[in-house]
Amino acid sequence: MDQQSRRNAGKNKQHKHLGLKITLTIVALLVIGIGAVFGMMWHQTQSTFNKIYDNDGGTHATSIKKKKPFSILLLGADTGADGRISRGNSDTIMVVTINPNTHKTLVYSIARDTMAEMVGTKSLNVQKLNAAYNIGESKMAKASVQKLLNVPINYYAAINMGGLEKVVNAVDGITITTTIDVTFDGTTITKGRHHLNGKQALAYSRMRYQDPRGDYGRQLRQQQVMMAVLKKLATPSGITKYSALMKTLEPYLRTDITLNDAVKLATDYRGNLDNVTSKQLTEKSATINGSSYQVPSTETLQSVSDELRTQLGLSKQTLSNQNTRLNKLNAAFFNDDSSTSYNTDGAVTQYYTNTTY
């Protein structure tokens, strides 16, 4: 195995549950918009949505209302089976940018172990990015990702891990075609076309190690599941499932997108669903304070920032943050493929300690 393959394998191990959470988050967010547009049982929808909605301190972004390009931070929260949403590590972190003028949607996934500044603490605190949601909820998570990439984050949606199986069952299953045999946790989906129930869809979304394409292949399967659910919801019979689906999602989802904006998202931005590009922030593994981190180079961060800002109709800006400052001290780290030694100049705190918010 060459050095690049070893790095990729190591990175894949850092994302054991990334695929499942990506699917959960995107499905949950888009289901709200597609379902709400039909106005079915509006009062019941409003009541359910009130339980999902987080006013994020009473401020509301206006980008969707004004039909402008906007970004959504999607978080898959590590909250276990207790149903908590407002706390937990965000083991899935994705920035989705949607432009109604170009009809393009760009999705960037960011590793949970990405080194980043926790924006909003009283003193400098650099940790793994997934800590931001646990420390300061959505406000800190949005601010920290915004600082990392120099991209405005307009909205967020967070979901815990309990929803995928229930969502698929709520729409009476989905039909997919697989080019490989998929086996996970005792469930096998053989090569070919199949109608999957929730348990099978969950297994299909999670297998990684046996896929010759690794985590990339798994993400393609997650996209299959996501699009199959959305297409099911867009049919006349799917519309009738919306009320039950909203009830299903209520314990698992929180967002600061209003119901009115969800309706506009479905009506004014539906064309964006046909033009979606998914990418990953590429990073290098490092050991810091005894913990494994992912560190993106300044060149990579700048490139992603430029791409996202262009997608949002913004001019490019030179990136300057704690990551770029520390990267200047670590030229040798980036020049040596085998190096895991990264000098943090004392900026990285012990995980979850010395934190005041």
Side-chain angles (χ1 to χ4, degrees):
M1 182 183 293
D2 59 24
Q3 290 180 340
Q4 182 63 43
S5 297
R6 287 195 296 271
R7 288 200 303 275
N8 289 340
K11 184 174 181 180
N12 284 343
K13 292 179 182 179
Q14 300 294 326
H15 303 284
K16 184 177 180 181
H17 301 298
L18 174 63
L20 169 62
K21 296 169 194 171
I22 288 174
T23 301
L24 286 173
T25 307
I26 296 179
V27 167
L29 181 66
L30 296 183
V31 158
I32 290 174
I34 289 177
V37 68
F38 297 104
M40 186 178 180
M41 302 178 69
W42 181 266
H43 294 296
Q44 182 176 345
T45 300
Q46 182 71 65
S47 176
T48 302
F49 206 94
N50 286 341
K51 299 175 184 178
I52 293 171
Y53 178 65
D54 171 17
N55 68 3
D56 194 22
T59 59
H60 307 285
T62 60
S63 299
I64 295 177
K65 181 179 180 180
K66 295 179 179 179
K67 203 176 178 182
K68 292 183 177 181
F70 66 92
S71 63
I72 307 172
L73 178 64
L74 303 183
L75 303 170
D78 176 20
T79 52
D82 59 10
R84 290 179 298 120
I85 285 290
S86 61
R87 281 291 191 271
N89 302 335
S90 54
D91 283 352
T92 292
I93 305 168
M94 302 179 67
V95 177
V96 179
T97 51
I98 299 176
N99 190 317
N101 303 317
T102 62
H103 303 293
K104 292 181 179 180
T105 297
L106 177 61
V107 182
Y108 255 103
S109 60
I110 307 173
R112 63 182 183 176
D113 292 339
T114 299
M115 185 188 72
E117 180 183 354
M118 304 291 100
V119 177
T121 55
K122 293 183 178 180
S123 58
L124 176 62
N125 189 334
V126 177
Q127 295 193 29
K128 296 180 180 181
L129 185 57
N130 70 340
Y133 188 59
N134 203 359
I135 297 169
E137 302 186 31
S138 61
K139 183 176 180 180
M140 182 177 288
K142 289 167 70 175
S144 298
V145 172
Q146 181 167 302
K147 184 72 171 181
L148 176 69
L149 299 175
N150 190 28
V151 172
I153 302 297
N154 303 113
Y155 306 94
Y156 91 96
I159 192 169
N160 75 9
M161 293 179 61
L164 178 60
E165 184 173 343
K166 292 180 174 60
V167 167
V168 173
N169 285 335
V171 297
D172 295 331
I174 58 173
T175 300
I176 59 92
T177 300
T178 175
T179 58
I180 62 173
D181 293 342
V182 174
T183 300
F184 187 88
D185 198 23
T187 298
T188 297
I189 298 96
T190 58
K191 181 179 178 180
R193 183 178 175 87
H194 300 275
H195 188 78
L196 307 183
N197 61 27
K199 181 180 179 180
Q200 292 169 322
L202 181 63
Y204 186 71
S205 298
R206 296 184 72 180
M207 189 194 83
R208 177 178 80 252
Y209 295 115
Q210 296 89 343
D211 193 316
R213 301 161 298 182
D215 199 48
Y216 176 72
R218 181 173 64 172
Q219 290 188 25
L220 293 178
R221 283 182 275 112
Q222 293 138 24
Q223 291 174 17
Q224 272 187 291
V225 171
M226 176 187 72
M227 295 310 299
V229 171
L230 294 179
K231 289 179 180 178
K232 198 82 176 285
L233 289 168
T235 65
S237 61
I239 295 170
T240 65
K241 308 292 184 184
Y242 179 66
S243 180
L245 187 55
M246 283 293 291
K247 290 182 180 179
T248 298
L249 287 175
E250 184 271 320
Y252 304 103
L253 178 66
R254 293 294 179 271
T255 182
D256 58 358
I257 298 174
T258 67
L259 181 56
N260 286 337
D261 281 345
V263 173
K264 289 190 69 65
L265 181 60
T267 55
D268 296 346
Y269 294 81
R270 292 189 71 184
N272 287 75
L273 290 177
D274 297 324
N275 194 356
V276 180
T277 301
S278 298
K279 297 187 177 183
Q280 288 181 307
L281 176 66
T282 58
E283 308 182 59
K284 189 172 185 289
S285 297
T287 301
I288 302 172
N289 290 347
S291 295
S292 177
Y293 279 75
Q294 295 295 313
V295 182
S297 69
T298 296
E299 291 75 17
T300 296
L301 285 172
Q302 185 67 63
S303 176
V304 173
S305 177
D306 290 347
E307 188 174 9
L308 290 173
R309 289 183 68 86
T310 298
Q311 163 75 353
L312 292 171
L314 303 173
S315 61
K316 299 176 183 179
Q317 293 181 349
T318 300
L319 193 64
S320 178
N321 55 31
Q322 286 300 320
N323 286 69
T324 61
R325 182 182 74 83
L326 292 174
N327 284 348
K328 289 180 181 179
L329 304 176
N330 288 276
F333 169 78
F334 291 104
N335 291 332
D336 183 353
D337 289 342
S338 63
S339 175
T340 61
S341 178
Y342 188 89
N343 175 20
T344 64
D345 196 30
V348 174
T349 68
Q350 189 65 30
Y351 203 37
Y352 295 123
T353 63
N354 301 323
T355 302
T356 303
Y357 179 70

